[in-house]
Amino acid sequence: MSYLVLKTDLGQHQRNYLKKIQSARQHLLGIINDILDDSKIEAGKLNLEQVEFSFQQLLDNVTTLIADKAADKGLELIIHIDPRIPERLVGDPLRLDQMLVNYANNAVKFTSSGEIAIQAQRQEDTDQDVLLRFTVRDTGIGLTPAQVAKLFESFQQADSTTTRQYGGTGLGLAITKQLASRMGGTVGVESTLGQGSTFWFTVRLVKSTNAAAPTRVLRTDLHGKRALVVDDNETARQVLADVLRSMGLAAEAVASGADALKALSHSEGGKPPYDLLLDWQMPEMDGIALAKRIRVDHPAHPMPILMVTAYGREELLKSAEGIGIHDVMIKPVSPSTLFECVSQALGEVRDAPDPCGPAPGRRAHHRHDGQRDGQRPRCLLACGHERPCGQADQSGQVVRHAPAVDSPAPGARHGRGRTRA
């Protein structure tokens, strides 16, 4: 009901009170869910589902829940996925979602500046199953060895001040440990006080007998085209470069707009040495300023420019008009969305329906070649909290434009959205 009331005309004080009610409700619901799960585990009554699910959809769900929380604190959210992980797996996606969200929520809670990096790796591969390792790394407050020793036990937190300052029950990590064990894996943490923590868990999942999603590799004639990634965050630019290399591109990465201009200065006949530029929001010379400079320096060779940014508001899109920004993507960007946007930028014709195609609420497409808005679909991935079908974000923007994925398996529920029976 509070959500519906927030959709009406309210004064600022009324709106703030209702948001506090919502926050308290979500916090209380999380405590109830944790207590119920801990009780089930103690009684031996916690049953795990074995259903087929989309690995990409699982990660999209986690990203949707975490992205806004990270953005509210000014944190960089980075997703790095091993391309060898099968798209279709069999297991309990609800519980996997719960484990990842628990780690990620803790990372955001205990980090005031820097970044949150979520990584999924394939550790073992057999004919029947795979062993996956999920890692959540933060640049937060960190832990002492004595505090680490007490983690993963029920109702245990680092110390009493943690409960008073950050809240929580101390059950989430204990539940994650039990779930990982039930899935054939284990948990662990490495941490340095004042520098951050890395929490990880492993799980063994059965491979689906259904056909896997197509490998995201560009046409053969596009292989070897050079891409330049520009970002002041080292982890972010390396992750982007790795994804582009997996597509068949020769990707390089630099840390600033000045470094990008230096790399672009080595041209032959006025043509820049790169076929594609991914341009992130940066201090000093931001993406808009860099794009303007590139268009001035190389007027006869309008190379495609993709901008990926956490600042997907009207002011950014208005600034991008008229300077040749091919596409604007809102980070964190999934590999499938990046693949489709890169394919379009390099002129590859796709036979399959475009998952970045027109959708209600999508922004107008800004192109440097004079095409009218909407003639070609743009790739805009807007990350926000999931809401029931048909409901919009409070700002009126579409909550999420994600790649086309299968619907959740029958009976699947969202891990933190409601009390689990």
Side-chain angles (χ1 to χ4, degrees):
M1 293 302 293
S2 60
Y3 172 83
L4 295 176
V5 175
L6 281 169
K7 301 296 292 181
T8 64
D9 293 329
L10 297 170
Q12 186 61 43
H13 290 299
Q14 294 169 312
R15 187 171 298 277
N16 288 337
Y17 293 150
L18 283 169
K19 286 183 177 180
K20 290 178 180 178
I21 291 174
Q22 279 195 320
S23 178
R25 176 191 65 82
Q26 292 168 356
H27 180 67
L28 180 59
L29 183 59
I31 293 175
I32 293 172
N33 281 335
D34 285 345
I35 293 173
L36 287 174
D37 283 343
D38 189 64
S39 299
K40 287 181 181 180
I41 291 170
E42 289 293 327
K45 299 295 185 180
L46 184 65
N47 298 319
L48 298 180
E49 292 182 319
Q50 289 295 309
V51 298
E52 182 177 321
F53 65 93
S54 161
F55 185 73
Q56 182 62 58
Q57 184 179 17
L58 171 74
L59 294 173
D60 285 345
N61 290 342
V62 173
T63 302
T64 296
L65 285 172
I66 301 302
D68 276 359
K69 297 177 183 179
D72 287 344
K73 299 184 71 173
L75 303 175
E76 184 91 22
L77 178 59
I78 302 162
I79 314 294
H80 194 189
I81 308 303
D82 189 336
R84 301 173 300 170
I85 297 177
E87 164 61 13
R88 307 298 301 182
L89 294 166
V90 176
D92 193 329
L94 168 66
R95 297 302 178 180
L96 279 173
D97 179 289
Q98 179 183 355
M99 295 160 75
L100 274 172
V101 168
N102 178 57
Y103 273 4
N105 272 336
N106 283 345
V108 173
K109 182 192 301 184
F110 295 110
T111 304
S112 59
S113 63
E115 64 187 44
I116 308 294
I118 301 175
Q119 186 172 18
Q121 297 172 291
R122 189 190 72 181
Q123 282 199 320
E124 296 179 13
D125 186 21
T126 71
D127 292 338
Q128 291 78 32
D129 56 33
V130 290
L131 181 68
L132 303 184
R133 177 186 171 102
F134 294 90
T135 303
V136 178
R137 178 181 58 80
D138 65 60
T139 55
I141 61 176
L143 298 162
T144 66
Q147 291 171 334
V148 169
K150 295 191 297 183
L151 296 178
F152 298 106
E153 297 179 10
S154 295
F155 299 104
Q156 290 291 331
Q157 291 189 307
D159 53 44
S160 59
T161 61
T162 300
T163 303
R164 291 196 300 269
Q165 183 174 356
Y166 297 100
T169 61
L171 284 173
L173 294 180
I175 292 170
T176 298
K177 179 180 178 180
Q178 293 291 336
L179 290 174
S181 177
R182 294 282 301 274
M183 296 183 189
T186 185
V187 300
V189 58
E190 296 92 35
S191 184
T192 302
L193 186 64
Q195 297 183 21
S197 304
T198 299
F199 284 82
W200 58 267
F201 68 84
T202 59
V203 293
R204 191 171 294 277
L205 299 171
V206 176
K207 293 180 179 179
S208 171
T209 56
N210 293 335
T215 304
R216 299 185 183 97
V217 178
L218 295 168
R219 274 196 332 245
T220 304
D221 61 303
L222 295 178
H223 288 187
K225 284 186 174 292
R226 300 178 66 190
L228 183 64
V229 178
V230 189
D231 195 319
D232 59 305
N233 183 288
E234 181 179 2
T235 305
R237 65 175 178 266
Q238 290 304 324
V239 168
L240 260 183
D242 287 345
V243 175
L244 292 173
R245 292 183 190 113
S246 72
M247 298 177 189
L249 297 175
E252 300 175 30
V254 296
S256 68
D259 290 340
L261 291 175
K262 183 177 179 180
L264 290 167
S265 66
H266 304 294
S267 60
E268 297 180 4
K271 182 178 181 180
Y274 297 95
D275 297 288
L276 177 70
L277 175 73
L278 274 90
D279 195 356
W280 291 62
Q281 190 83 3
M282 300 169 293
E284 298 180 6
M285 181 183 293
D286 65 15
I288 297 297
L290 180 58
K292 290 179 179 178
R293 177 69 180 272
I294 290 170
R295 295 308 182 208
V296 170
D297 292 349
H298 305 279
H301 302 281
M303 61 184 294
I305 297 177
L306 301 180
M307 181 174 291
V308 190
T309 179
Y311 307 97
R313 300 294 181 248
E314 287 292 346
E315 58 269 22
L316 171 64
L317 295 174
K318 290 179 179 178
S319 298
E321 289 187 45
I323 60 171
I325 301 298
H326 187 280
D327 272 314
V328 177
M329 295 175 285
I330 310 303
K331 60 183 178 181
V333 180
S334 70
S336 56
T337 299
L338 181 59
F339 175 73
E340 292 299 332
C341 292
V342 168
S343 299
Q344 292 175 13
L346 295 180
E348 179 172 358
V349 178
R350 310 288 295 160
D351 294 330
D354 181 11
C356 294
R362 176 157 288 145
R363 305 290 185 189
H365 182 49
H366 304 295
R367 296 184 53 84
H368 65 267
D369 56 7
Q371 283 187 311
R372 294 190 307 274
D373 290 348
Q375 273 192 271
R376 288 184 64 184
R378 66 187 303 275
C379 299
L380 176 60
L381 182 66
C383 298
H385 294 296
E386 284 189 338
R387 293 177 175 82
C389 182
Q391 293 182 355
D393 180 57
Q394 292 175 12
S395 64
Q397 296 179 353
V398 173
V399 173
R400 182 176 180 81
H401 297 303
V405 290
D406 294 341
S407 300
R413 296 158 293 164
H414 205 283
R416 314 307 293 173
R418 53 186 163 191
T419 306
R420 294 182 290 275

